C-alpha cells in the first residue's frame, strides 16, 4: 500500500507531465520528480491521475499530503473546476483519502496589496513599532508585513524579516533603500506617520524559468537592517491580544493550530493542512519582475471555518503555534478568498542568510 506522500508525488508528476497545472505553460518533465514518482509507481494512482472524464476542465494548483496526522490524506488544490466534477472524483486511492479543494488562482502581485480595501495595521507598544505591522520600501507601491526581528548567526545587529517581494520588490529594491512602517500608502490621520525602521540589506533571490533547468526553490525572504533598535519591538500585534515573538522554531505538521498577525487581517487563526514537496508553480508579477517561480517543501494553512487567514498585504507575517510557543513559518502567498495561506516552514527560513535566530524580549 502506497503512503500519502508517495501518492501525492506520483499524482503531481502525472498532472505536471500531462499539462494540468494552471500556472505552467504546458506539460513539464522534472527529472528529480520523475525518479521519485517511479519509486512510488502504482497502477491505481495512475488510473486516478489519468481519469480523462474526471479531470477534464480541472486545473491544478498543487498537490500536498498530510504529515503527522493519524490517517494522512492527500490534498489536491485546484485553481478551476466545477463542483459536479469534483464530487465525481474517487474519495480515496489505494486506501488513502483524497481531498479536493478549489482555491482559485494563486499569484503574487506586490502592487495588488496596495489595492486592498482593508486599512493597513500599525501596531505599537511602548512607542515602538511591533511585528505584524505594515511596512514597505520607499521605492515601491507594494506593501506587506514586518514579520519578526532576527539576528544573523552570532552577530548582534538586528534585522527585520519579511518576504523578498515585500522588502526587495522581487530582487529590484536597491541595497540600503529605506524601509518604512507603516508603508507610505498606509499613512493616515489617526496613526503614527510613516517613518524609517530599517534599510534594505539582503535577499534570497527569486528565480523564474523552466524547472528542468532552474532548480525549484521555496524561499521568498529578505532582510532589512534595523535603523534604530529603540524604534521596534519583538511584540507581535496589539497590546491586548498580542504575544512576544517566540525564540523557538519548529516544523509545521498537519492539523496543528496556528495564528499570525498581519498588516491586512490582523490576528487570524488557522490549521496547518498539507505539505507540498513536489514542485509547484506560482506566478509573480511585480514592477520589475514577471515570471513563474517554482516552489517545493512549502505548506498550506487553512483558515478556521468562515474566517480569513491571509489577504494581500499579509505577506511576511510570522506564523506561530496557537499557544505561541514556537514559530512554524512565514506567509508568502494566499488564495483570492483568503481562506488559504502558503507558508515557508520556519526551519528552512532560519537556515538562509548564514543562519537566523529569532529575537524576543526586545522592547516589550
Amino acid at each position: 500500500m502506497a503512503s500519502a506522500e508517495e501518492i501525492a508525488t506520483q499524482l503531481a508528476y502525472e498532472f505536471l507531465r500531462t499539462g494540468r497545472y494552471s500556472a505552467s505553460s504546458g506539460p513539464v518533465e522534472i527529472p528529480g520528480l520523475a525518479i521519485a514518482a517511479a519509486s512510488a509507481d502504482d497502477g491505481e494512482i495512475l488510473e486516478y491521475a489519468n481519469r480523462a472524464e474526471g479531470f477534464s476542465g480541472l486545473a491544478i494548483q498543487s498537490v500536498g499530503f498530510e504529515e503527522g496526522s493519524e490517517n494522512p490524506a492527500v490534498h489536491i488544490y485546484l485553481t478551476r473546476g466545477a463542483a459536479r466534477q469534483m464530487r465525481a472524483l474517487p474519495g480515496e486511492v489505494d486506501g488513502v483519502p483524497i481531498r479536493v479543494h478549489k482555491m482559485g488562482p494563486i499569484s503574487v502581485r506586490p502592487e495588488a496589496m496596495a489595492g486592498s480595501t482593508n486599512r493597513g495595521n500599525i501596531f505599537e507598544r511602548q512607542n515602538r513599532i511591533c511585528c505584524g505591522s505594515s511596512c514597505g520600501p520607499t521605492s515601491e507601491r507594494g506593501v506587506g508585513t514586518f514579520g519578526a526581528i532576527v539576528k544573523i548567526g552570532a552577530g548582534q545587529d538586528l534585522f527585520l524579516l519579511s518576504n523578498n517581494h515585500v522588502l526587495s520588490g522581487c530582487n529590484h529594491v536597491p541595497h540600503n533603500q529605506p524601509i518604512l512602517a507603516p508603508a507610505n500608502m498606509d499613512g493616515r490621520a489617526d496613526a503614527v506617520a510613516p517613518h524609517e525602521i530599517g534599510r534594505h540589506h539582503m535577499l534570497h533571490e527569486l528565480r523564474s524559468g523552466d524547472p528542468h533547468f532552474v532548480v525549484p526553490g521555496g524561499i521568498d525572504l529578505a532582510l532589512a537592517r534595523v535603523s534604530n533598535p529603540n524604534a521596534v519591538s519583538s511584540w507581535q500585534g496589539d497590546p491586548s491580544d498580542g504575544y512576544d515573538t517566540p525564540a523557538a522554531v519548529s516544523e509545521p505538521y498537519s492539523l496543528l493550530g496556528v495564528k499570525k498577525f498581519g498588516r491586512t487581517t490582523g490576528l487570524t487563526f488557522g490549521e496547518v493542512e498539507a505539505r507540498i514537496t513536489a514542485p509547484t508553480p506560482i506566478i509573480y508579477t511585480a514592477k520589475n519582475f514577471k515570471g513563474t517561480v517554482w516552489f517545493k517543501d512549502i505548506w498550506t494553512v487553512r483558515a478556521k471555518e468562515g474566517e480569513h487567514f491571509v489577504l494581500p498585504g499579509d505577506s511576511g507575517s510570522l506564523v506561530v503555534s496557537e499557544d505561541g510557543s514556537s514559530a512554524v513559518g512565514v506567509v508568502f502567498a494566499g488564495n483570492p478568498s483568503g481562506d488559504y495561506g502558503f507558508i515557508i516552514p520556519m526551519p528552512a527560513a532560519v537556515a538562509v542568510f548564514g543562519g537566523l535566530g529569532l529575537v524576543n524580549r526586545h522592547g516589550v
Side-chain angles (χ1 to χ4, degrees), residues 154-226:
Q156 295 304 304
D157 290 342
L158 300 181
F159 297 88
L160 314 172
L161 174 67
S162 190
N163 296 140
N164 177 323
H165 72 265
V166 172
L167 297 180
S168 309
C170 296
N171 307 334
H172 284 83
V173 168
H175 177 259
N176 214 38
Q177 188 79 16
I179 306 298
L180 305 181
N184 266 327
M185 63 155 293
D186 284 335
R188 58 180 191 265
D190 61 345
V192 62
H195 62 282
E196 179 183 318
I197 59 169
R199 293 273 176 156
H200 186 224
H201 180 70
M202 190 181 299
L203 60 82
H204 191 283
E205 182 187 4
L206 291 170
R207 302 182 68 195
S208 66
D210 190 314
H212 188 95
F213 303 107
V214 178
V215 178
I219 305 294
D220 178 352
L221 293 174
L223 299 178
R225 184 186 297 274
V226 171

Side-chain angles (χ1 to χ4, degrees), residues 132-149:
S133 295
S134 161
C135 74
T138 55
S139 59
E140 306 298 304
R141 289 191 65 250
V143 59
T145 298
F146 151 36
I149 301 174

Side-chain angles (χ1 to χ4, degrees), residues 3-332:
S3 68
E5 180 176 4
E6 290 171 330
I7 292 171
T9 299
Q10 191 164 11
L11 287 177
Y13 171 71
E14 291 297 326
F15 292 150
L16 285 166
R17 186 183 66 82
T18 55
R20 296 191 185 277
Y21 272 62
S22 60
S24 65
S25 57
V28 178
E29 281 275 4
I30 302 175
L33 186 61
I35 294 170
S39 67
D41 191 9
D42 184 294
E44 192 173 342
I45 304 173
L46 282 173
E47 182 182 349
Y48 184 97
N50 293 320
R51 285 173 60 94
E53 181 181 350
F55 279 95
S56 176
L58 300 183
I60 311 295
Q61 168 60 47
S62 54
V63 182
F65 61 94
E66 293 179 8
E67 188 170 79
S69 59
E70 187 174 338
N71 184 29
V74 169
H75 293 264
I76 300 175
Y77 299 104
L78 305 177
T79 58
R80 183 180 67 252
R84 176 184 56 79
Q85 292 173 294
M86 293 167 61
R87 288 194 299 268
L89 294 171
E92 58 89 21
V93 170
D94 209 8
V96 174
I98 303 290
R99 310 281 185 250
V100 183
H101 317 273
K102 186 166 69 172
M103 59 167 49
I106 307 300
S107 64
V108 175
R109 297 186 299 130
E111 293 196 5
M113 301 171 188
S116 171
T117 56
N118 299 65
R119 296 199 315 172
N121 288 309
I122 183 73
F123 301 108
E124 293 183 87
R125 184 178 175 89
Q126 298 185 12
N127 295 317
R128 296 168 181 251
I129 302 297
C130 297
C131 303
S133 295
S134 161
C135 74
T138 55
S139 59
E140 306 298 304
R141 289 191 65 250
V143 59
T145 298
F146 151 36
I149 301 174
V150 298
K151 291 182 179 180
I152 301 176
Q156 295 304 304
D157 290 342
L158 300 181
F159 297 88
L160 314 172
L161 174 67
S162 190
N163 296 140
N164 177 323
H165 72 265
V166 172
L167 297 180
S168 309
C170 296
N171 307 334
H172 284 83
V173 168
H175 177 259
N176 214 38
Q177 188 79 16
I179 306 298
L180 305 181
N184 266 327
M185 63 155 293
D186 284 335
R188 58 180 191 265
D190 61 345
V192 62
H195 62 282
E196 179 183 318
I197 59 169
R199 293 273 176 156
H200 186 224
H201 180 70
M202 190 181 299
L203 60 82
H204 191 283
E205 182 187 4
L206 291 170
R207 302 182 68 195
S208 66
D210 190 314
H212 188 95
F213 303 107
V214 178
V215 178
I219 305 294
D220 178 352
L221 293 174
L223 299 178
R225 184 186 297 274
V226 171
S227 300
N228 177 6
N230 295 322
V232 294
S233 171
S234 63
W235 189 260
Q236 297 274 340
D238 59 53
S240 58
D241 297 320
Y243 45 87
D244 197 11
T245 298
V249 166
S250 62
E251 289 277 2
Y253 59 86
S254 298
L255 308 184
L256 172 68
V258 293
K259 62 185 178 182
K260 71 100 189 73
F261 270 96
R263 171 263 175 196
T264 303
T265 56
L267 177 62
T268 60
F269 295 85
E271 184 177 85
V272 176
E273 187 165 86
R275 182 183 178 190
I276 299 169
T277 55
T280 187
I282 295 179
I283 296 172
Y284 275 65
T285 305
K287 181 173 65 175
N288 296 304
F289 179 95
K290 183 175 183 179
T292 300
V293 181
W294 290 78
F295 288 84
K296 65 177 183 177
D297 294 321
I298 56 176
W299 290 76
T300 57
V301 176
R302 190 171 192 168
K304 295 218 168 170
E305 189 172 354
E307 299 179 4
H308 292 122
F309 186 65
V310 295
L311 284 173
D314 288 327
S315 290
S317 300
L318 185 74
V319 178
V320 305
S321 57
E322 197 163 339
D323 65 4
S325 63
S326 64
V328 299
V330 178
V331 171
F332 75 97

